[in-house]
Amino acid sequence: MAGSITSTGLGSGLDIESLVSQLVAAEGRPARQRLDRNEAELQARISAYGTLKGSFSAFQSSLNSLTSLSGFQSKSASSSDKAVATVTTTNAAAAGSYDLEVFDLARTQRLVSDPAAGADFTALDDVVGTGTLSFSFGTVGYDEGTDSVTGFTRDSDRAVRTVEITDGSLTGIRDAVNAADIGVKAFIVFDGTNYRLGFAAEDTGAANAMQISVSDADGNDTDAAGLSRLNFNETTNFMLQNQAAQDASASLNGIAITSASNTLDTAVEGVTFNLLAAGTTAVTVKSDPGAITKNVEAFVNGYNQLSSTIKQLSSYNPETGRAGILNGDATLRGLESRLNRVLGTPLEGADSNYQILAQIGITRTGSNGGLELDKSKLEAAIRDNPEAVTGLFAAFGQSADNEVGYLSASEDTRPGDYAVNITQLATQGQLSGSQAAGLTITAGSNDTLAVKVDGISASLTLAAGTYTAAELAARIQSGLNGTEAFQDNGVAVRVSENGGVLSMVSDRYGSASKIEIAGGNAATDLFGAAPTSTDGVDVAGSIGGVAATGSGRILTGAGDAAGLKLEITGGATGDRGTLNFTRGFADQLSTLVSGLLDDDTGLFDPLTESLQDRVSRIEDERLELNQRLANLEERYRAEFNAMDRILGQLQGTSDFLTRQLETIPVIGQNNRNRR
């Protein structure tokens, strides 16, 4: 039998899809690997710049407390008897000592029901009555001997608050008043025989007392029955006042002080006295150099962390051949150079003993280029010359004139020495009475006063009584300064008397400082028919020979001194010496870092955006590669399919020829059979 013609793996037996896929994959592999490698490198750089930006941001935070003067003006306060008063301070406080004597604490008013007046309740669910309770707030006169309300002056700034009583039991009334949230807390106390319903004002102070008027559902509002038993007013009173509303009374360095609150936060600027009990205590306010040391330590640690990040990103290990992601990066080298340039350049115009950080104990470490701090040397410098230490870090101005104070500067202020000349000192608005004040105050007759101070209106109502001129001055001052209008707008006045004549002075300086009597039935009795009002004026002068702008006591420079703000607190007109202005290292570094981190003009965001754009272009290249490979795959598939068809045809021809060849022996055999 003759052999057949075969072609293994050809024709319809060929795995075209596998061949095409492998060929296309092999064709695209080098390009894909190149794109993946480039993208990984770009993403690593984006991450590295993000890490670097985060380190600069953290470093900037460590600079914040050293770029402003408040970081060098930390104060601490102590009280010799913390049972009498505790003290807290802000950086605005001036160092000093204060003898504080507390006579009386401020108290809230408390009222309780009176069993002798029909309120003899023996169970919590005993019914008092229904109707409404109306609470008014102000100054109450009360005679304990006769248990009667002798007078009431309502605070016109506080609305009358009404509470509807539908559950007339003791607990129902308590819960209704407390739920109304009107500045009064209701309570119930069992005294061993009776349950006593009480009301306590939430605010301390003589002017924060309350009176209660009842509208009784039984139709009689004044009898000792039903809800009427809770009346406490000039007309009807069935309750007892077991604690009167009272102002705090104290003496600070011999000066009498009254306050509606036990927190005295306006007596001394930057100092808050928390009154706790009657007694005496010595208060000391002093600078806190330890806070400055902590801030400098934070700066050193912040810089070292930034330096460590830079070293890590730019590192190279010759033994392993491994390099940091930003090794050799020109941007990183430039940043490091700029930091070193700031720290290595002595301060322009500074005292020769305080021009570099090493002079206060901050030096470079030999190993990694970071900073190290000698705390003892720093603390000695703070003790010896705190102003010079301040100037080493912050933008700071120093003047030999104690009444020419540096406040702040702008980015445009150039370091240097600036001569200060004052042509006009700032003054305060004031008002003086035209005659001695009347000392007897009668309710509804001469008990109200309205004023306008620095453009803000306020009014008060004086309690009826006979006063000394000094007492009237104190009452008017505390009453006006305690008004919501003044407190919300930072307005305050000082009221004094001289020979019985009252005068008022605004705490504000400058042309916006003005006082005028706006009305009130006591205005003439207190200040006379023609009080004299004098408006304040702004400071005027020049800084560095260039005319400056005055506002209150603040003088703002121009030219090289643009943005330089000085506070002229007193002294004489004329030449006031020279102010030296420097930009410390923290200020320079903060300006540098702020510029780097700026969202619009900074360094990091454009860098990251540029790298992101390159990543996006890689994605575009991938799309182009995919399209090219798809076209290649289509061509390969078409070619292999054409080849497969040809092979199929050849296979068919082969099969035909094989069949034909197989018939040849049969024909020969038939011929032999014929013979």
Side-chain angles (χ1 to χ4, degrees):
M1 180 177 178
S4 62
I5 301 175
T6 61
S7 181
T8 304
L10 298 178
S12 59
L14 185 65
D15 188 353
I16 294 175
E17 289 303 318
S18 178
L19 283 171
V20 169
S21 296
Q22 293 180 47
L23 287 171
V24 171
E27 180 76 20
R29 187 174 297 113
R32 290 188 190 280
Q33 290 176 341
R34 174 181 58 79
L35 293 175
D36 290 344
R37 188 167 55 251
N38 291 346
E39 182 181 21
E41 181 181 346
L42 290 173
Q43 293 289 9
R45 291 175 68 82
I46 290 172
S47 177
Y49 281 126
T51 299
L52 188 60
K53 181 180 180 181
S55 294
F56 269 98
S57 180
F59 177 52
Q60 184 182 45
S61 297
S62 74
L63 295 170
N64 289 340
S65 58
L66 296 176
T67 55
S68 64
L69 297 187
S70 60
F72 298 90
Q73 296 171 340
S74 297
K75 302 294 191 305
S76 62
S78 61
S79 170
S80 64
D81 191 342
K82 293 182 180 178
V84 173
T86 58
V87 189
T88 57
T89 62
T90 68
N91 293 340
S97 298
Y98 304 92
D99 292 324
L100 174 65
E101 183 173 5
V102 180
F103 303 117
D104 296 295
L105 294 178
R107 293 178 178 175
T108 60
Q109 180 196 36
R110 286 202 303 261
L111 308 176
V112 294
S113 59
D114 183 4
D120 50 347
F121 307 115
T122 58
L124 289 173
D125 59 358
D126 279 358
V127 175
V128 183
T130 58
T132 61
L133 298 176
S134 295
F135 294 83
S136 303
F137 302 92
T139 304
V140 170
Y142 180 74
D143 186 332
E144 292 184 9
T146 60
D147 181 29
S148 60
V149 178
T150 59
F152 178 73
T153 304
R154 190 174 77 83
D155 182 351
S156 59
D157 290 333
R158 298 183 67 178
V160 176
R161 304 298 298 273
T162 299
V163 181
E164 188 76 25
I165 305 299
T166 56
D167 178 352
S169 67
L170 288 171
T171 55
I173 296 172
R174 177 197 63 191
D175 295 344
V177 171
N178 289 338
D181 190 23
I182 59 172
V184 176
K185 290 298 182 185
F187 59 90
I188 299 173
V189 175
F190 182 62
D191 65 8
T193 302
N194 297 107
Y195 284 93
R196 311 281 290 274
L197 176 63
F199 303 105
E202 290 186 347
D203 296 329
T204 59
N208 292 316
M210 59 186 163
Q211 75 166 8
I212 306 172
S213 298
V214 176
S215 176
D216 200 332
D218 67 8
N220 191 331
D221 300 337
T222 60
D223 62 349
L227 200 63
S228 300
R229 287 171 285 187
L230 302 183
N231 271 306
F232 182 82
N233 56 67
E234 292 177 274
T235 303
T236 309
N237 177 30
F238 294 118
M239 299 194 77
L240 296 174
Q241 178 176 272
N242 66 345
Q243 178 170 288
Q246 176 178 285
D247 287 339
S249 175
S251 169
L252 191 62
N253 282 0
I255 300 173
I257 295 176
T258 59
S259 170
S261 167
N262 288 314
T263 300
L264 308 182
D265 54 9
T266 59
V268 178
E269 183 182 13
V271 182
T272 298
F273 302 88
N274 302 297
L275 309 185
L276 302 175
T280 59
T281 182
V283 174
T284 302
V285 179
K286 60 183 180 180
S287 297
D288 184 8
I292 301 175
T293 301
K294 289 180 181 178
N295 292 338
V296 173
E297 286 180 322
F299 156 68
V300 170
N301 292 334
Y303 180 84
N304 287 342
Q305 290 172 6
L306 174 61
S307 178
S308 176
T309 299
I310 292 175
K311 296 300 180 188
Q312 181 182 1
L313 293 175
S314 62
S315 65
Y316 177 74
N317 188 329
E319 295 180 1
T320 62
R322 298 187 64 178
I325 296 172
L326 298 180
N327 175 260
D329 184 88
T331 298
L332 186 60
R333 288 199 306 271
L335 290 175
E336 191 171 22
S337 176
R338 292 171 72 179
L339 289 172
N340 291 334
R341 187 162 55 249
V342 171
L343 289 174
T345 304
L347 292 187
E348 179 184 349
D351 186 317
S352 60
N353 293 319
Y354 294 91
Q355 288 186 323
I356 58 175
L357 293 176
Q359 291 170 318
I360 62 168
I362 301 175
T363 56
R364 290 280 192 181
T365 60
S367 57
N368 58 13
L371 300 176
E372 60 183 0
L373 172 64
D374 182 338
K375 285 182 62 176
S376 61
K377 191 170 183 179
L378 171 63
E379 290 168 350
I382 295 172
R383 287 194 304 270
D384 294 343
N385 196 335
E387 290 80 12
V389 174
T390 302
L392 260 177
F393 290 98
F396 185 59
Q398 296 185 73
S399 171
D401 190 326
N402 292 331
E403 293 177 302
V404 176
Y406 167 80
L407 291 181
S408 64
S410 71
E411 294 180 357
D412 298 324
T413 310
R414 299 185 61 180
D417 293 327
Y418 295 96
V420 179
N421 183 277
I422 303 302
T423 57
Q424 175 177 275
L425 293 170
T427 61
Q428 298 158 280
Q430 54 188 306
L431 181 140
S432 300
S434 59
Q435 65 186 45
L439 303 180
T440 299
I441 301 298
T442 303
S445 175
N446 65 337
D447 59 347
T448 62
L449 176 69
V451 300
K452 190 173 185 180
V453 179
D454 306 343
I456 303 300
S457 298
S459 60
L460 63 84
T461 300
L462 294 168
T466 300
Y467 302 87
T468 66
E471 289 172 338
L472 269 179
R475 287 295 182 97
I476 295 171
Q477 176 175 307
S478 62
L480 290 174
N481 291 341
T483 61
E484 185 176 350
F486 275 19
Q487 291 184 351
D488 287 350
N489 291 280
V491 172
V493 294
R494 286 182 289 109
V495 184
S496 60
E497 66 88 19
N498 184 9
V501 178
L502 300 181
S503 62
M504 245 188 295
V505 179
S506 168
D507 273 3
R508 184 173 183 173
Y509 282 81
S511 56
S513 179
K514 303 178 181 182
I515 299 180
E516 58 183 291
I517 301 295
N521 57 26
T524 300
D525 284 354
L526 293 174
F527 290 94
T532 302
S533 179
T534 305
D535 295 345
V537 297
D538 296 314
V539 66
S542 62
I543 301 176
V546 179
T549 302
S551 177
R553 296 195 295 186
I554 310 303
L555 201 60
T556 304
D560 287 349
L564 179 62
K565 292 183 180 295
L566 307 180
E567 183 176 23
I568 314 302
T569 57
T573 57
D575 292 333
R576 300 291 293 273
T578 299
L579 181 131
N580 172 254
F581 174 72
T582 58
R583 288 196 175 279
F585 291 106
D587 178 77
Q588 294 182 54
L589 289 169
S590 181
T591 300
L592 169 62
V593 175
S594 295
L596 296 175
L597 297 176
D598 187 271
D599 291 337
D600 298 321
T601 61
L603 172 70
F604 292 104
D605 286 353
L607 270 176
T608 302
E609 290 172 4
S610 175
L611 293 174
Q612 291 285 10
D613 288 342
R614 292 172 63 182
V615 171
S616 297
R617 289 199 294 273
I618 288 177
E619 290 301 316
D620 293 339
E621 290 183 50
R622 279 200 177 96
L623 292 175
E624 293 175 2
L625 175 62
N626 289 339
Q627 185 59 51
R628 190 169 70 251
L629 293 177
N631 294 337
L632 181 63
E633 181 180 7
E634 184 177 353
R635 193 178 80 239
Y636 279 169
R637 184 176 288 108
E639 291 175 351
F640 272 99
N641 284 333
M643 181 183 68
D644 188 60
R645 286 193 297 274
I646 294 172
L647 289 175
Q649 292 173 359
L650 291 174
Q651 185 64 47
T653 302
S654 173
D655 291 343
F656 171 77
L657 292 174
T658 298
R659 288 194 299 274
Q660 292 300 315
L661 290 173
E662 287 176 346
T663 60
I664 294 174
V666 175
I667 296 173
Q669 185 177 0
N670 290 336
N671 291 333
R672 285 194 299 272
N673 289 336
R674 291 192 188 99
R675 289 193 299 266

